[in-house]
Amino acid sequence: KNEVEQSPQNLTAQEGEFITINCSYSVGISALHWLQQHPGGGIVSLFMLSSGKKKHGRLIATINIQEKHSSLHITASHPRDSAVYICAGPQGGSEKLVFGKGTKLTVNP
Amino acid sequence: GAVVSQHPSRVICKSGTSVKIECRSLDFQATTMFWYRQFPKQSLMLMATSNEGSKATYEQGVEKDKFLINHASLTLSTLTVTSAHPEDSSFYICSAIKVKDTQYFGPGTRLTVL
């Protein structure tokens, strides 16, 4: 069982819809990362958070340490948001990251 | 935010040649960098931990003589794929630790071995 589980695996939305991607982890972590990977492959770090909520533009990330759960929300989604979104958490107290399998988001115009 | 660069972004080479990929932290010093590999439609897999001034630590199953890592300065780590073969074709990504729990990713290097 992967220590970091994401859902859904695939998500298709219409432009303008509110998107939620979920991430659950089974071990205690100090910080959770949300990453974005576009079809070309390049990875962009969206958020690193250890508590509460962070917002950047139309992106919002929340984390509940007690429930070991994090969500990434996209408001007013746009086709350019189409990408794979990956959550990752440190492995066993180290700086090594364990990655979820990713959520492939497709936003149709 | 902190910036990590990789060079080259894409490389195509012939089987049997060696390829060097650079990972640089542009605006901070990183004593620790990580190298990841990603196969198509799969998640990132940690290959090794690169520590400045010491030998890299490789994950189980990763051949250290195949994937040479040198972290010669606080802003540069290099990954050399030696005697590359088509099965080494992959997307290689580095990340750098700025301070605890802040890990910044490079944009990745796509290696194609013919």
Side-chain angles (χ1 to χ4, degrees), chain A residues 30 37 41-42 95-96 99-100, chain B residues 36 38 43 59 91 101 103 107:
Chain A
S30 51
Q37 186 171 30
E95 297 280 7
K96 297 180 183 180
F99 294 86
Chain B
Y36 300 91
Q38 185 181 38
S43 194
E59 296 299 300
F91 192 60
D101 293 334
Q103 189 167 155

Side-chain angles (χ1 to χ4, degrees), chain A residues 30-31 33 35 37 39-45 48 86 88 90-91 93-97 99-102 104, chain B residues 10 34 36 38 41-46 49 57 59 91 93 97 99-108 110:
Chain A
S30 51
H33 298 250
L35 311 171
Q37 186 171 30
I43 287 200
V44 174
S45 182
M48 286 176 284
I86 303 167
Q91 175 187 353
S94 75
E95 297 280 7
K96 297 180 183 180
L97 292 180
F99 294 86
K101 293 185 178 179
K104 184 177 180 181
Chain B
R10 292 178 181 270
F34 295 103
Y36 300 91
Q38 185 181 38
K41 299 189 186 300
Q42 295 189 25
S43 194
L44 284 75
M45 180 188 75
L46 178 65
T49 304
T57 305
E59 296 299 300
F91 192 60
I93 303 159
I97 302 289
V99 294
K100 189 176 179 349
D101 293 334
T102 60
Q103 189 167 155
Y104 296 92
F105 288 82
R110 186 162 301 282

Side-chain angles (χ1 to χ4, degrees), chain A residues 70-83:
Chain A
S70 177
S71 293
L72 176 69
H73 305 285
I74 305 174
T75 61
S77 60
H78 191 277
R80 63 175 175 267
D81 297 325
S82 298

Side-chain angles (χ1 to χ4, degrees), chain B residues 5 8 10 13 16 21-22 33-35 52 58 61 64 84 86-87 90-91 99 102 107 109:
Chain B
S5 70
R10 292 178 181 270
C13 69
I21 302 169
E22 294 184 347
M33 292 184 176
F34 295 103
W35 285 98
E52 188 269 336
Y58 290 82
K64 61 181 181 182
E87 58 264 30
S90 191
F91 192 60
V99 294
T102 60
T109 296

Side-chain angles (χ1 to χ4, degrees), chain B residues 23-93:
Chain B
C23 176
R24 292 181 185 273
S25 54
L26 298 184
D27 53 355
F28 65 98
Q29 294 183 329
T31 55
T32 302
M33 292 184 176
F34 295 103
W35 285 98
Y36 300 91
R37 182 174 182 177
Q38 185 181 38
F39 290 104
K41 299 189 186 300
Q42 295 189 25
S43 194
L44 284 75
M45 180 188 75
L46 178 65
M47 298 175 66
T49 304
S50 172
N51 298 297
E52 188 269 336
S54 64
K55 289 184 180 180
T57 305
Y58 290 82
E59 296 299 300
Q60 191 173 8
V62 178
E63 300 175 58
K64 61 181 181 182
D65 295 330
K66 173 76 173 175
F67 299 99
L68 300 179
I69 292 172
N70 185 358
H71 195 152
S73 78
L74 287 170
T75 60
L76 174 64
S77 175
T78 60
L79 168 68
T80 302
V81 183
T82 62
S83 187
H85 287 91
E87 58 264 30
D88 298 323
S89 299
S90 191
F91 192 60
Y92 293 88
I93 303 159

